Amino acid sequence: NAGVMQNPRHLVRRRGQEARLRCSPMKGHSHVYWYRQLPEEGLKFMVYLQKENIIDESGMPKERFSAEFPKEGPSILRIQQVVRGDSAAYFCASSRERQATNEKLFFGSGTQLSVL
Amino acid sequence: AQKITQTQPGMFVQEKEAVTLDCTYDTSDPSYGLFWYKQPSSGEMIFLIYQGSYDQQNATEGRYSLNFQKARKSANLVISASQLGDSAMYFCAMSDSGTYKYIFGTGTRLKVLA
């Protein structure tokens, strides 16, 4: 299956620890998007990356959150010094082209982050 | 500003019957796309159907059809012949040419009854 791969599927962290979420886009896709979903809510945009470039991080909290998409390897969403409010499902999506109005996003299965 | 509204937090439907899930949107951009995704209890997001703002006909994909009423800014999802496996959360989303982000609604939880 060459779909969008996210790992881990579930991640438990204590307050103050770091969380690293990984996303490998579909084969042939060079555009990656991260979304966050709180319980019983829709997905909220966080960041859009192309290889080695952050295109738009307007949805990402200014502190503790960072994202990268290196030339080689998966995209990483990093949350430093996690707090309970960071508990959520984090979804990665990819597309072949820069998202246009008709460009379908392919989503991974998400990482459920639980902060104790 | 772009906005997607789903006013039905939960819906029930009898197996084999049709159900309509509501979605209204707001954008000032004449070029936009509307998407529906299904999220089963396992959590993944599954693409169902797409409608472009310039498409003349309503989109259909198997048992899914999109009732697109441009003047009313609505894009309701119709599921025909409901199956137990259709029980899930359903999200409406929009993308317009001014942004490369999907805007999602808050979702509708559908329960299909045997």
Side-chain angles (χ1 to χ4, degrees):
Chain A
N1 188 339
V4 179
M5 303 300 293
Q6 286 188 253
N7 66 80
R9 190 81 171 85
H10 300 276
L11 182 62
V12 180
R13 286 287 178 266
R14 295 190 181 279
R15 281 179 295 170
Q17 290 184 322
E18 178 179 287
R20 281 185 178 238
L21 288 63
R22 294 175 184 77
C23 169
S24 295
M26 280 185 70
K27 188 176 181 180
H29 287 193
S30 58
H31 301 256
V32 165
Y33 312 78
W34 285 93
Y35 285 80
R36 177 164 64 176
Q37 184 181 29
L38 295 172
E40 302 303 314
E41 291 188 13
L43 279 66
K44 296 285 195 293
F45 170 81
M46 297 182 74
V47 62
Y48 162 42
L49 311 101
Q50 293 180 28
K51 284 283 187 181
E52 300 184 278
N53 286 305
I54 297 175
I55 307 302
D56 183 350
E57 55 183 349
S58 60
M60 200 126 82
K62 294 288 186 287
E63 297 178 353
R64 302 189 297 108
F65 285 72
S66 62
E68 63 177 11
F69 188 17
K71 188 176 180 181
E72 301 291 336
S75 174
I76 305 287
L77 179 67
R78 182 183 177 204
I79 311 172
Q80 295 178 288
Q81 299 175 319
V82 296
V83 301
R84 288 216 174 113
D86 297 332
S87 296
Y90 292 83
F91 284 90
C92 171
S94 73
S95 65
R96 185 172 42 227
E97 302 291 338
R98 172 177 170 143
Q99 190 174 348
T101 58
N102 63 347
E103 188 75 24
K104 183 174 72 176
L105 289 185
F106 294 82
F107 283 86
S109 296
T111 293
Q112 181 65 50
L113 173 65
S114 298
V115 180
L116 304 179
Chain B
Q2 303 89 354
K3 189 177 180 182
I4 288 276
T5 303
Q6 293 180 256
T7 57
Q8 305 156 312
M11 290 280 287
F12 290 93
V13 65
Q14 207 65 40
E15 195 179 9
K16 299 180 186 177
E17 292 188 349
V19 62
T20 298
L21 307 183
D22 295 341
C23 173
T24 58
Y25 62 92
D26 192 18
T27 178
S28 57
D29 199 317
S31 176
Y32 52 88
L34 297 156
F35 304 79
W36 277 91
Y37 282 82
K38 173 184 178 181
Q39 187 179 42
S41 56
S42 50
E44 71 269 30
M45 296 288 286
I46 302 168
F47 168 79
L48 295 178
I49 197 167
Y50 159 80
Q51 179 84 43
S53 59
Y54 294 119
D55 291 345
Q56 296 297 315
Q57 295 191 330
N58 288 344
T60 59
E61 291 281 354
R63 295 186 299 111
Y64 303 108
S65 60
L66 203 151
N67 184 359
F68 181 44
Q69 298 190 41
K70 199 169 181 178
R72 293 186 176 183
K73 293 190 174 180
S74 73
N76 299 338
L77 177 70
V78 180
I79 306 174
S80 62
S82 297
Q83 302 172 356
L84 295 177
D86 293 335
S87 294
M89 280 288 282
Y90 288 81
F91 291 99
C92 181
M94 177 176 68
S95 171
D96 65 31
S97 60
T99 177
Y100 22 76
K101 315 162 197 175
Y102 274 27
I103 306 297
F104 281 86
T106 51
T108 296
R109 185 176 297 281
L110 177 67
K111 176 72 175 175
V112 180
L113 304 173

